[in-house]
Amino acid sequence: MTPPRLLWCDPRPIPRFNRQEPVTTIVRDPGFHEPTEEDDCWRVGYFCQTHDRPYWHESCGEGPHLIALECDEHGPQNMWPQPRMLMFPEGFDPLLSVAHLAWVQAQWDAAD
């Protein structure tokens, strides 16, 4: 199990040619919908909570972004840590323990 509130921000430096401000993704939040296989969500996208608008890579406003996965039916929802997040686990806040990372990786492996 992961912490109840989990954020991730890519720890790699932003390339100079990319004017994108830092993006922090809300992976889990206790107030968010927990999706299930029974959910019939057909319209899901990212929403920047900082700028209060849909997030489309650099186009939602100036400054750092705090984005969440959002469903038209359920609102903000928890997401599973993505492979890129697992490649750079030092970006998690709070940091995941070795046991948490092993559990998440095992869940990914089981889904394959």
Side-chain angles (χ1 to χ4, degrees), residues 69-92:
L69 192 61
E70 189 164 291
C71 166
D72 279 356
E73 182 180 344
H74 301 106
Q77 62 183 27
N78 290 323
M79 61 187 289
W80 194 250
Q82 302 301 302
R84 183 174 53 140
M85 295 175 182
L86 297 177
M87 289 172 46
F88 302 100
E90 61 273 19
F92 284 111

Side-chain angles (χ1 to χ4, degrees), residues 24-47:
T24 300
T25 303
I26 302 171
V27 180
R28 302 195 65 75
D29 187 278
F32 285 10
H33 173 70
E34 186 65 49
T36 65
E37 289 185 21
E38 290 78 35
D39 288 342
D40 191 22
C41 303
W42 59 274
R43 191 157 179 207
V44 177
Y46 287 103
F47 188 83

Side-chain angles (χ1 to χ4, degrees), residues 107-112:
Q107 297 298 313
W108 266 109
D109 293 345
D112 287 340

Side-chain angles (χ1 to χ4, degrees), residues 5-18:
R5 177 150 169 100
L6 182 62
L7 306 175
W8 185 81
C9 186
D10 196 331
R12 299 173 293 175
I14 297 171
R16 287 188 148 308
F17 60 84
N18 182 351

